[in-house]
Amino acid sequence: MSGKVVVVNHPLINHKLALIRDEKTGTKDFRQTVSEIGMLMAYEITRNLPTKEVDIKTPVAIAKCHMLAKEVVIVPILRAGLGMVDGITALIPTAKVGHIGLYRDEETLEPKEYYAKFPNVITEATVLVVDPMLATGGSVCHAIDVLKRKGVKNITYVGLVGAPEGVKQVQTKHPDVDIFLAALDDKLNEKGYIVPGLGDCGDRLYGTK
């Protein structure tokens, strides 16, 4: 099974992406717009979620309806991933949220896990791994490794901006995982930043730089 790469091309997403790329956009507007893009992307990502038929009694008669057949769990990679969670849960209010915290070892440059907590239903759920920037792909691949070791089988990655290097890394290590992005940029620079990108998403979300 080979995962697909989808760049969600929508006028509203493109407009809002331009706003968060702008270096003049302040913390408040940046945070709000990242959340809004998360909600808009969630609409497209959830298009093929499995449903089950149910009978619903309306004021007039019985209607054959469809409701979600599986739990949805959102797993943001701390800290930047948190910026997209509220937007996605606004669209899927029944979704549960797990968390995974990673930092990069300064010597090996490999991701190190410092926190992981997930809902009990995660093994049978549709899981959305959320991290705004897909740069080298190291953190995302590590998060997926952690989830697979817990027995999770249905995983999708959701991000804002990706680099070809990161996409290739995820496809190589986890070919069964679909990748959804708002934009696929040109490359990584020598410091590992996506070009043209939008800078450090975590710092811009929380005003820490």
Side-chain angles (χ1 to χ4, degrees), residues 75-78 98-102 113-118 142-143 146:
V75 179
I77 299 177
L78 304 179
H99 298 86
I100 183 162
L102 302 172
E113 179 185 326
Y114 67 87
Y115 184 79
K117 191 170 182 65
F118 308 112
H142 184 90
V146 171

Side-chain angles (χ1 to χ4, degrees), residues 27 30-31 34-35 74-86 97-104 112 114-115 130-133 139-140 143 160 193 199-209:
T27 302
F30 187 92
R31 187 183 302 145
V34 166
S35 181
I74 307 163
V75 179
I77 299 177
L78 304 179
R79 62 186 167 142
L82 289 172
M84 297 175 68
V85 171
D86 285 350
V97 182
H99 298 86
I100 183 162
L102 302 172
Y103 70 92
R104 189 166 73 165
K112 298 290 184 181
Y114 67 87
Y115 184 79
V130 179
D131 196 21
M133 311 300 286
S139 294
V140 171
L160 297 180
Y193 279 87
D200 187 304
C201 192
D203 284 338
R204 296 192 67 189
L205 277 167
Y206 301 113
T208 48
K209 200 169 186 177

Side-chain angles (χ1 to χ4, degrees), residues 132-205:
M133 311 300 286
L134 181 58
T136 65
S139 294
V140 171
C141 285
H142 184 90
I144 295 170
D145 285 336
V146 171
L147 291 168
K148 285 185 173 180
R149 286 198 295 270
K150 287 192 164 293
V152 181
K153 296 179 177 61
N154 191 341
I155 302 171
T156 297
Y157 164 73
V158 187
L160 297 180
V161 179
E165 295 91 334
V167 170
K168 183 178 179 182
Q169 177 86 325
V170 175
Q171 286 185 310
T172 299
K173 292 195 172 182
H174 298 288
D176 56 327
V177 173
D178 290 341
I179 297 170
F180 283 83
L181 295 166
L184 182 58
D185 279 8
D186 299 338
K187 61 180 180 179
L188 296 178
N189 66 14
E190 64 280 357
K191 294 182 179 179
Y193 279 87
I194 299 173
V195 180
L198 48 82
D200 187 304
C201 192
D203 284 338
R204 296 192 67 189
L205 277 167

